[in-house]
């Protein structure tokens, strides 16, 4: 017999409003311990110096994490003018100073150059691997590495605050792989200024936002009062933009056994009308219960991931 996994069977998502100075790995560990869950993971690392949305998957929800990698994100951050640091944020060592303070009009005029598909060089202090080592480890050792520019998408960016001449707040909606610190660096360079990110908050990751988020303190209260389920979102929350297919008990049984099912022509046409581009992934439900994720091929649905949900 196989060894029984430690912990309880807990399935769902926690939309955590992560506090400052807590790493993503620590946040996942805290949530896992709170629920005594067998399995946990997160969708999208959030730096310790950033607060905001960190979606944490428990149990069967971990099977949907890959679908969150392409999710759009919304960030609200503050640039402090006058000082640049090696890490591009307030924790780094100062590397340059300047008296230049870009005006609100200058920033608004420059921002459109950073909207759309752009080439962006990641910060030296990032988790990107260089010859098997993390870039931030090399940077801390004083080793200079040349990171290659990557093609990323910024859907929109706008100035949302200017409390004083030294600080400017920007809110932007991005695709995957965008570094806020890099945008702040490149914007400062374009404006002939020095600057770094002094505050950063992530407000959305796909369907997870500040509207459905919980704090660590409130979650602890729920768990200790026996209302832990109130802090959980359904496993299917991460699949909000994937077409749904309702199936019968017999089809659900076949899919759970790893066998494809044959669809009716009208089902195929309906799903094709909902799928975008070359996408073929469909989420399958028996009533309100997520059964599987599958690929639509030649009038059949072939299961990719099967869920063991009550």
């Amino acid at each position: 017999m196989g060894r029984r996994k430690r912990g309880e069977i807990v399935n769902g998502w926690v939309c955590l409003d992560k506090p400052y100075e807590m790493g993503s790995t620590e946040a996942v560990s805290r949530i896992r311990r709170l629920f005594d869950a067998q399995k946990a993971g997160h969708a999208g690392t959030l730096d310790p110096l950033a607060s905001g949305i960190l979606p944490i998957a428990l149990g069967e929800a971990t099977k949907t994490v890959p679908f969150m990698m392409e999710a759009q994100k919304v960030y609200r951050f503050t640039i402090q003018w006058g000082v640049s640091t090696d890490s591009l944020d307030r924790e780094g060592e100062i590397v340059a100073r300047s008296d230049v303070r870009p005006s609100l009009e200058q920033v608004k005029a420059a921002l459109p150059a950073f909207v759309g598909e752009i080439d962006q060089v990641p910060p030296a202090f990032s988790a990107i691997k260089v010859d098997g080592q993390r870039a931030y480890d090399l940077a801390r050792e004083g080793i200079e590495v040349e990171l290659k520019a990557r093609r990323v998408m910024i859907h929109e960016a706008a100035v949302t605050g200017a409390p004083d001449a030294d600080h400017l707040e920007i809110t932007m909606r991005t695709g995957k792989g965008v570094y806020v610190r890099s945008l702040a660096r490149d914007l400062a360079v374009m404006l002939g200024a020095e600057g770094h990110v002094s505050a950063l908050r992530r407000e959305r990751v796909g369907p997870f936002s500040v509207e459905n988020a919980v704090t660590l303190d409130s979650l602890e209260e729920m768990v200790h009062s026996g209302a832990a389920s109130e802090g959980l979102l359904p496993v299917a929350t991460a699949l909000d933009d994937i077409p749904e297919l309702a199936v019968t008990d017999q089809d659900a049984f076949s899919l759970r056994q790893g066998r494809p099912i044959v669809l009716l022509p009208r089902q195929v046409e309906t799903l094709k009308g909902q799928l975008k581009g070359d996408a073929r992934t469909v989420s399958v439900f028996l009533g309100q219960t997520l059964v599987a994720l599958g690929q639509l091929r030649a009038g059949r649905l072939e299961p990719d991931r099967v869920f063991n949900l009550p």
Side-chain angles (χ1 to χ4, degrees):
M1 292 179 61
R3 181 181 296 178
R4 183 181 180 276
K5 291 183 178 179
R6 296 178 60 183
E8 301 296 323
I9 297 175
V10 182
N11 302 307
W13 283 92
V14 173
C15 180
L16 181 67
D17 191 337
K18 187 190 78 65
Y20 283 110
E21 299 181 348
M22 177 180 287
S24 297
T25 301
E26 181 186 351
V28 172
S29 297
R30 291 279 292 273
I31 297 300
R32 183 176 183 176
R33 286 198 302 272
L34 266 179
F35 284 89
D36 189 26
Q38 291 182 358
K39 193 174 183 181
H42 67 76
T45 300
L46 194 58
D47 291 342
L49 287 178
S51 70
I53 303 307
L54 179 66
I56 297 177
L58 299 176
E60 293 292 277
T62 57
K63 295 178 181 177
T64 66
V65 167
F67 293 90
M68 293 304 301
M69 295 300 102
E70 302 293 329
Q72 292 186 17
K73 302 175 178 67
V74 174
Y75 295 96
R76 178 164 51 87
F77 60 99
T78 300
I79 298 175
Q80 180 176 331
W81 302 117
V83 171
S84 290
T85 67
D86 55 3
S87 62
L88 308 181
D89 59 32
R90 69 174 187 269
E91 285 279 292
E93 298 290 332
I94 295 175
V95 294
R97 294 181 183 272
S98 170
D99 292 329
V100 175
R101 300 295 187 270
S103 68
L104 193 58
E105 292 71 26
Q106 287 175 313
V107 175
K108 288 181 177 179
L111 269 183
F114 298 95
V115 176
E117 276 196 325
I118 64 170
D119 291 321
Q120 187 184 67
V121 178
F125 284 80
S126 64
I128 292 174
K129 285 192 174 181
V130 180
D131 296 329
Q133 289 184 276
R134 297 292 184 185
Y136 54 66
D137 288 331
L138 296 172
R140 286 172 185 145
E141 294 173 12
I143 301 173
E144 291 188 13
V145 294
E146 185 175 343
L147 298 177
K148 295 180 180 179
R150 303 189 303 175
R151 199 75 171 163
V152 298
M153 170 63 80
I154 296 178
H155 297 281
E156 55 184 338
V159 175
T160 49
D164 54 52
D166 289 331
H167 298 87
L168 182 90
E169 181 187 88
I170 293 174
T171 298
M172 70 176 184
R173 179 167 59 89
T174 79
K176 67 175 182 179
V178 173
Y179 282 93
V180 171
R181 289 174 293 147
S182 290
L183 184 137
R185 173 200 64 203
D186 297 341
L187 181 62
V189 169
M190 178 178 284
L191 296 172
E194 301 294 340
H196 66 276
V197 175
S198 60
L200 171 61
R201 179 167 175 78
R202 188 160 69 188
E203 298 188 330
R204 177 177 290 276
V205 179
F208 301 97
S209 69
V210 292
E211 285 78 22
N212 56 11
V214 293
T215 64
L216 199 54
D217 288 342
S218 64
L219 197 58
E220 287 175 344
E221 290 179 9
M222 291 178 198
V223 172
H224 294 321
S225 63
S229 60
E230 293 180 12
L232 279 177
L233 297 172
V235 171
T237 303
L239 309 174
D240 70 324
D241 60 345
I242 296 178
E244 298 180 9
L245 173 69
V247 296
T248 63
D249 286 304
Q250 182 59 49
D251 282 345
F253 178 80
S254 295
L255 290 168
R256 284 173 174 146
Q257 298 298 310
R259 300 196 301 269
I261 59 173
V262 177
L263 303 182
L264 297 173
R266 60 178 175 79
Q267 291 176 308
V268 174
E269 289 306 310
T270 298
L271 291 172
K272 282 184 176 179
Q274 296 172 341
L275 290 165
K276 299 175 182 177
D278 297 328
R280 291 290 178 267
T281 302
V282 175
S283 55
V284 183
F285 288 82
L286 176 62
Q288 299 297 313
T289 303
L290 179 63
V291 173
L293 286 165
Q295 298 294 310
L296 181 64
R297 292 193 179 96
R300 304 197 311 170
L301 191 75
E302 302 175 359
D304 275 342
R305 291 177 175 85
V306 176
F307 296 87
N308 182 25
L309 296 171

